[in-house]
Amino acid sequence: MWFAIIGTDVPDSLEARKGARPAHIARLQKLLDEGRLMLAGPFPAIEAEDPGPAGFTGSLIVAEFPSQADAEAWADADPYVAAGVYASVAIKPFRKALP
């Protein structure tokens, strides 16, 4: 099943994000290589492709896992969690309808 993983950043998370980003991206690349990643990306804090020092307010990952528990375990091990980037993480089952 697909799951939406929605991370919400702590205030002023940009420097912590930058430090943890290579490890975070490596985990996403592994999901992509396994054919289990639908999409992933950050939420800019302002209406801009590159928000600069305004940074980001969170992230969205839609990926396939065998169960909610597996999705939660994967999300709990995210480098952004370990680095204190996320204030909270919500995980919801997701069903793609379009396109």
Side-chain angles (χ1 to χ4, degrees):
M1 171 128 218
W2 294 102
F3 290 88
I5 301 170
I6 304 116
T8 301
D9 284 24
V10 298
D12 302 315
S13 63
L14 187 57
E15 290 308 312
R17 263 183 174 271
K18 287 178 181 178
R21 188 172 190 274
H24 174 77
I25 295 298
R27 294 179 83 233
L28 292 172
Q29 184 64 51
K30 184 174 186 298
L31 288 177
L32 183 63
D33 293 346
E34 295 170 352
R36 297 173 45 211
L37 182 65
M38 183 183 298
L39 64 92
F43 299 119
I46 60 173
E47 188 178 339
E49 184 72 23
D50 179 358
F56 301 91
T57 62
S59 305
L60 170 65
I61 299 165
V62 179
E64 188 176 32
F65 295 94
S67 69
Q68 176 94 23
D70 290 314
E72 290 170 1
W74 187 91
D76 287 345
D78 193 291
Y80 281 177
V81 171
V85 172
Y86 292 149
S88 64
V89 177
I91 302 168
K92 299 179 179 191
F94 179 80
R95 190 184 74 175
K96 183 179 177 184
L98 294 171

